[in-house]
Amino acid sequence: MLWPARCALCGERVPDGGGLCAGCRADMPRAAAGCECCGTPLPVAGRCGRCLVKPPVFDAVHSLYLYEQPVIHLIHALKFDAKLHLARTLGGLLADHIATLPGARPEKLLPVPLHPRRLRERGYNQALELARPLAKQLGIAVDFTSCKKIRYVAPQATLSADQRRKNIRGAFSVNGAINARHVAIVDDVMTTGATAAELARTLKKAGIARVDVWVCAYAPLPR
Ligand SMILES: [Zn+2]
Ligand SMILES: [Zn+2]
């Protein structure tokens, strides 16, 4: 794959490759540490009020950025404009972040699957493309065959949190043996967490004990 020698944001030459110049990298909107269960930004470490009352089905969320510009621009270019080299950039930066975190590493990475119809339309799964550099840098295997999206789901973007949960219900199935106790779901963006929660629910039903969620960007819906 050709690695563009210029920064994807400002066009500055990037001598070492890597997709973004040091200045643009430093200006990206980092997600502050959030709730240890759901990732909601919090002023102090710990759990948010919602997770204290009812913990989500996944066990931890790690997000690198907030879903703000220029992160939105980069993720849109990856997702809708086939700029696949950006998966290497963003996945690599997410891997650098994950490498600094304490705690047990998952045994497998599971990119959120696309429905076969969406995969045909797009030609690739951006979550799988993001998982590849994570796998390589962190030395964790990617499993992109055991879990399938079996229901075509209308885009979630215009739906409320409650509608999203109903919309995604029953959308995934596990058809292979994942052979892991602890996995991480990989996706580009997390908004209400409805997709991650439904996939985590399906994985736990299939016997996975611990499900973390790794995303490039976190986009909290206004409460
Ligand atoms: Zn730049
Ligand atoms: Zn929380």
Side-chain angles (χ1 to χ4, degrees):
M1 186 161 58
L2 274 181
W3 188 252
R6 290 190 181 275
C7 172
L9 288 171
C10 70
E12 189 83 11
R13 284 197 74 83
V14 184
D16 60 340
L20 289 179
C21 73
C24 287
R25 245 180 252 200
D27 287 345
M28 297 277 273
R30 288 293 294 257
C35 166
E36 63 192 23
C37 306
C38 73
T40 299
L42 282 184
V44 288
R47 293 187 173 197
C48 73
R50 218 167 25 176
C51 291
L52 282 171
V53 176
K54 187 173 186 273
V57 59
F58 42 75
D59 296 275
V61 174
H62 297 300
S63 172
L64 175 57
Y65 296 122
L66 293 173
Y67 193 59
E68 293 172 358
Q69 294 298 0
V71 177
I72 297 174
H73 167 78
L74 294 172
I75 288 179
H76 277 209
L78 163 63
K79 223 163 147 170
F80 305 117
D81 202 16
K83 296 281 194 291
L84 288 176
H85 64 273
L86 292 174
R88 246 167 86 183
T89 303
L90 292 169
L93 290 166
L94 179 57
D96 292 344
H97 170 61
I98 298 284
T100 67
L101 300 175
R105 288 284 159 75
E107 297 142 70
K108 295 271 170 73
L109 300 181
L110 294 175
V112 172
L114 288 183
H115 188 271
R117 182 172 139 199
R118 181 67 53 79
L119 190 59
R120 275 197 301 277
E121 289 163 2
R122 190 170 292 163
Y124 56 94
N125 177 357
Q126 74 281 356
L128 170 58
E129 298 308 318
L130 286 167
R132 292 185 203 279
L134 280 161
K136 199 171 160 196
Q137 263 172 258
L138 301 171
I140 304 172
V142 181
D143 180 340
F144 59 93
T145 54
S146 300
C147 196
K148 304 248 186 282
K149 193 157 184 187
I150 51 173
R151 200 156 59 68
Y152 190 81
V153 171
Q156 304 261 76
T158 59
L159 304 180
S160 72
D162 225 37
Q163 290 168 323
R164 284 173 192 233
R165 264 195 302 277
K166 288 186 187 129
N167 193 39
I168 197 83
R169 192 91 186 163
F172 300 106
S173 85
V174 174
N175 357 41
I178 296 174
N179 293 326
R181 278 193 76 257
H182 178 186
V183 304
I185 295 171
V186 177
D187 208 356
D188 50 347
V189 182
M190 176 164 141
T191 306
T192 60
T195 300
E198 180 59 19
L199 184 51
R201 195 180 68 82
T202 311
L203 291 167
K204 289 202 167 176
K205 248 171 73 185
I208 310 288
R210 180 183 169 121
V211 180
D212 296 347
V213 182
W214 295 357
V215 291
C216 273
Y218 182 77
L221 278 187
R223 296 264 180 104

